[in-house]
Amino acid sequence: MPGDRPTPSFETVRYEVADGVATITLDRPEALNALTVGLKADLLGAFRAVDRDLRVRAVVLTGAGRAFCAGQDLKERLDPGAAPLAVELRERYNPLIRQMRALDQPIVGAINGVAAGAGASLAFACDVRMAADVAAFRLAFGRIGLVPDSGATWFLPRLVGPARAAELALLDEPLSAAEAARIGLVARVVAAESLMAEARVVALRLAALAPVALALTKRALERSWSVDLDAALEDEAWRQGVAGATADHAEGIAAFLEKRQPRFRGE
Ligand code: LHQ
């Protein structure tokens, strides 16, 4: 198939592609997948690989072992050669969050366990979140005298509203998976043992949809936060013009009329 590339491999991230779905697994379970310089580079590499791989129509992001991600590796911060925090954010975390949000493909966060600090931010940057019943969110920044980062202050008010966002960010109380579902932060809570299967079902559904329309929808939802209704209406009209000109739109109508499943090709 044109666009096929060898599947890349990384030291601290597992990257697997099957049936149009890339599964990216943070793979430092012994440290609850805490983010080292190497893990951040691998994760950025994995998301860049998604960006370049035409086979990939949806992504699942999860963690190996009992945690999703415990945030910045705090032991690494003790190294006298560690970059200053602002530099670490500008050079490593922010590019990662930007790359996640810039992807055309939707990301399903399969939150298998605790998501703390920048690990919670990674979860917030996904398009859809599903959580294992044993998972929990914990901002954790305040407890070590830091400010929520890696997009947490931007995503959280948009995902759960300003009041809950302030409470979570300032009080730093753990949020259970059940409570996260109740306030709309996660779409669904499932038994830990079926999380990956359920996340894969959602990712496969996304992978079967029209890729151009999905990418345009992702951008429209994000843009809506920073524009007024008038601009949003115009933005929708422009995007619909683009989506309406795709072969996939014609295929969608043909499939509807012929009472069959559409075969979208991203064209
Ligand atoms: C860890 C970590 C960890 C290293 C567990 N690092 N080893 C950005 C810019 C630059 C710098 C600063 O930060 C940021 C953004 C951030 O992410 S700030 C927030 C950083 N993260 C945290 O403060 C969370 C720290 N971890 C915890 O609070 C707990 O470990 C949680 C609540 C995540 C889980 O608790 P438990 O289930 O009780 O597990 P545990 O604490 O026993 O951890 C298991 C092991 O994992 C343990 O290692 P050990 O060798 O003792 O068995 C921990 O040391 C290690 N680990 N988090 N972030």
Side-chain angles (χ1 to χ4, degrees):
M1 180 179 158
D4 263 11
R5 290 167 179 268
T7 302
S9 65
F10 304 95
E11 233 173 79
T12 53
V13 160
R14 291 205 304 269
Y15 183 86
E16 294 137 326
V17 179
D19 306 320
V21 175
T23 301
I24 298 176
T25 309
L26 308 178
D27 198 13
R28 294 189 67 226
E30 68 288 355
L32 306 189
N33 303 316
L35 298 158
T36 54
V37 167
L39 176 45
K40 283 170 262 186
D42 284 351
L43 197 50
L44 183 60
F47 283 118
R48 284 186 176 149
V50 167
D51 211 1
R52 293 190 299 263
D53 192 339
L54 294 178
R55 294 172 303 171
V56 175
R57 301 264 189 100
V59 179
V60 175
L61 177 66
T62 194
R66 71 178 172 94
F68 176 71
C69 174
Q72 167 64 37
D73 188 307
L74 296 174
K75 292 171 188 159
E76 190 184 60
R77 294 302 309 167
L78 300 176
D79 181 343
L85 292 188
V87 172
E88 189 65 26
L89 285 169
R90 291 194 184 104
E91 293 188 356
R92 300 208 171 83
Y93 283 95
N94 296 354
L96 188 51
I97 300 298
R98 286 195 185 103
Q99 177 64 71
M100 287 175 76
R101 295 313 308 156
L103 282 186
D104 280 348
Q105 300 96 325
I107 306 173
V108 179
I111 318 302
N112 53 303
V114 66
S121 304
L122 284 180
F124 301 158
C126 295
D127 294 285
V128 177
R129 276 157 296 282
M130 301 176 60
D133 48 7
V134 295
F137 294 87
R138 169 122 215 203
L139 284 204
F141 298 91
R143 207 163 40 127
I144 53 168
L146 289 182
V147 177
D149 64 24
S150 307
T153 62
W154 191 88
F155 290 112
L156 207 51
R158 286 166 171 78
L159 291 169
V160 301
R164 283 317 295 260
E167 205 181 309
L168 288 167
L170 296 173
L171 289 173
D172 191 23
E173 274 167 15
L175 182 72
S176 69
E179 182 65 1
R182 204 186 63 74
I183 65 174
L185 183 59
V186 304
R188 204 158 2 127
V189 180
V190 298
E193 57 277 16
S194 40
L195 177 68
M196 287 313 288
E198 298 263 352
R200 195 168 158 69
V201 167
V202 173
L204 285 170
R205 271 180 54 200
L206 289 163
L209 293 169
V212 175
L214 272 187
L216 288 164
T217 304
K218 262 183 80 159
R219 308 255 177 281
L221 289 172
E222 199 152 296
R223 195 173 132 80
S224 74
W225 286 104
S226 56
V227 300
D228 61 18
L229 173 62
D230 219 36
L233 288 170
E234 180 45 40
D235 189 60
E236 286 174 356
W238 176 80
R239 285 173 204 279
Q240 205 64 298
V242 176
T246 61
D248 280 348
H249 171 53
E251 163 64 5
I253 294 191
F256 172 73
L257 295 175
E258 292 161 24
K259 299 188 190 299
R260 61 171 173 81
Q261 288 299 312
R263 285 181 297 273
F264 294 124
R265 299 155 56 94
E267 291 163 0

